[in-house]
Amino acid sequence: MDGNASAGGTEGQHRSPHHKAENKHEEKVQDPDRGEDKTRAEMGSKTWADLAGEMKMFLWNPEERTCLGRTAKSWGVMIRPYLNGFTIAFNVSQPSTWQPYVDSMHHFLAAYDDKVQEEKNIECVSGQYFIQGGNESEEKKACQFKRSLLQNCSGIEDPTFGYSKGQPCILLKMNRIIGYRPGAGVPVSVDCKAQKGNESDLRSVDFYPGNGTFDLMYYPYYGKITHVNYTSPLVAMHFTDVKKNYLIPIQCSLNGKGIINDVNRDRFLGRIIFTLSIGK
């Protein structure tokens, strides 16, 4: 699988059928190419060992570079906060309009608290994949991702995540794909732009951590059974200068080797499209 993610979240109710199916269970995606009758016929002549081996290869096939029988183009990206669809709208002067977004962010980041991460996970070597050998059933170690890495979007120094200033933070997360090593050795990066209209509508975006990349050390993911404390890495997007009192469609894309992010009919394929509406 060459680089994608999953869009949307479990907090909201408005999702496309394509999107909803992919996010209900991040590690499970139906394979549309295998008919039920065909599957039953094939199972009848094979042992459980045969089937188990095929299932392992089906989850991640390194030769075909497919996951669950699909290539990278089957996957998308996810954002937080996600409350009322893909529109984040509020008025700076009315805290009641932005407080729900702030509460959602704090709730989501609770698992990323520095102390929680220090207790559960280990410090890893940045810039390289964290390959873990041993028995497949052994519990895998997970790398720390502390919310403090998100700096101005951590909610630590500014508990409103910029919403009280009209400079909202939005978090982006790639989907969990068992065995997947995104970027082919080069970290996947994120960029954002105004999707339509004047480019000056979106004048400044800061990215954390660093320059807005997903460090290789958080990959591969070994699955929820053995990788029990795994914490998905995040990229925070801090929209520090957005035109006020307008609906601004924004596209944030994943960039890296093998990633497809320009298919017009799929807004969740290697990218996420949402709307910012910030009133004074």
Side-chain angles (χ1 to χ4, degrees):
M1 164 119 313
D2 279 277
N4 273 311
S6 108
T10 56
E11 298 171 25
Q13 299 297 322
H14 306 290
R15 296 177 239 174
S16 69
H18 168 73
H19 162 59
K20 183 175 181 180
E22 289 186 353
N23 285 280
K24 186 175 182 181
H25 300 291
E26 285 187 329
E27 298 172 23
K28 295 175 64 178
V29 177
Q30 292 181 351
D31 177 16
D33 298 322
R34 291 181 64 88
E36 183 178 357
D37 293 339
K38 180 180 178 181
T39 302
R40 287 179 178 175
E42 290 176 350
M43 287 179 65
S45 61
K46 296 180 180 180
T47 66
W48 282 112
D50 293 332
L51 293 171
E54 290 183 2
M55 179 55 69
K56 179 181 177 182
M57 182 62 71
F58 179 58
L59 288 174
W60 172 245
N61 186 326
E63 294 183 2
E64 299 294 332
R65 300 198 65 77
T66 60
C67 182
L68 296 167
R70 295 184 171 196
T71 61
K73 64 183 181 180
S74 299
W75 303 82
V77 237
M78 142 199 245
I79 59 170
R80 286 292 190 274
Y82 181 82
L83 297 179
N84 303 304
F86 294 96
T87 296
I88 295 176
F90 62 95
N91 293 321
V92 176
S93 61
Q94 296 177 286
S96 62
T97 63
W98 48 257
Q99 191 63 47
Y101 297 116
V102 171
D103 293 342
S104 175
M105 293 280 276
H106 279 295
H107 178 74
F108 176 71
L109 287 174
Y112 291 84
D113 284 344
D114 287 22
K115 289 185 178 179
V116 172
Q117 288 294 309
E118 289 169 0
E119 291 174 359
K120 290 186 175 183
N121 296 332
I122 65 171
E123 291 186 18
C124 297
V125 179
S126 179
Q128 64 185 46
Y129 296 122
F130 184 26
I131 309 297
Q132 302 182 58
N135 192 296
E136 291 184 3
S137 62
E138 291 179 8
E139 184 174 318
K140 306 300 182 183
K141 297 178 180 179
C143 299
Q144 295 177 5
F145 190 101
K146 300 177 180 179
R147 67 187 296 172
S148 59
L149 292 172
L150 301 176
Q151 297 176 262
N152 292 340
C153 287
S154 67
I156 298 173
E157 293 186 7
D158 176 8
T160 72
F161 298 95
Y163 284 78
S164 65
K165 304 173 185 177
Q167 299 178 330
C169 289
I170 296 175
L171 306 178
L172 189 146
K173 171 181 171 293
M174 292 178 68
N175 194 17
R176 295 182 181 183
I177 304 170
I178 297 174
Y180 174 47
R181 305 179 194 180
V186 178
V188 172
S189 63
V190 178
D191 66 30
C192 298
K193 63 181 180 181
Q195 190 194 25
K196 299 177 182 178
N198 197 324
E199 292 184 2
S200 65
D201 290 349
L202 180 59
R203 292 180 282 266
S204 178
V205 187
D206 294 332
F207 298 88
Y208 307 105
N211 56 351
T213 59
F214 293 95
D215 199 295
L216 299 179
M217 67 182 176
Y218 298 105
Y219 306 97
Y221 169 61
Y222 288 92
K224 61 184 178 182
I225 295 177
T226 58
H227 224 161
V228 292
N229 291 325
Y230 181 81
T231 308
S232 297
L234 307 170
V235 164
M237 306 169 293
H238 193 191
F239 294 90
T240 54
D241 193 357
V242 179
K243 189 174 183 179
K244 302 299 190 294
N245 297 317
Y246 279 84
L247 289 171
I248 313 295
I250 294 173
Q251 175 178 301
C252 294
S253 303
L254 301 178
N255 300 291
K257 186 174 181 180
I259 291 179
I260 301 170
N261 58 19
D262 58 357
V263 177
N264 291 332
R265 67 179 181 275
D266 193 339
R267 64 186 291 178
F268 308 117
L269 179 56
R271 61 179 177 168
I272 188 73
I273 297 173
F274 57 93
T275 301
L276 274 182
S277 178
I278 305 173
K280 298 177 180 179

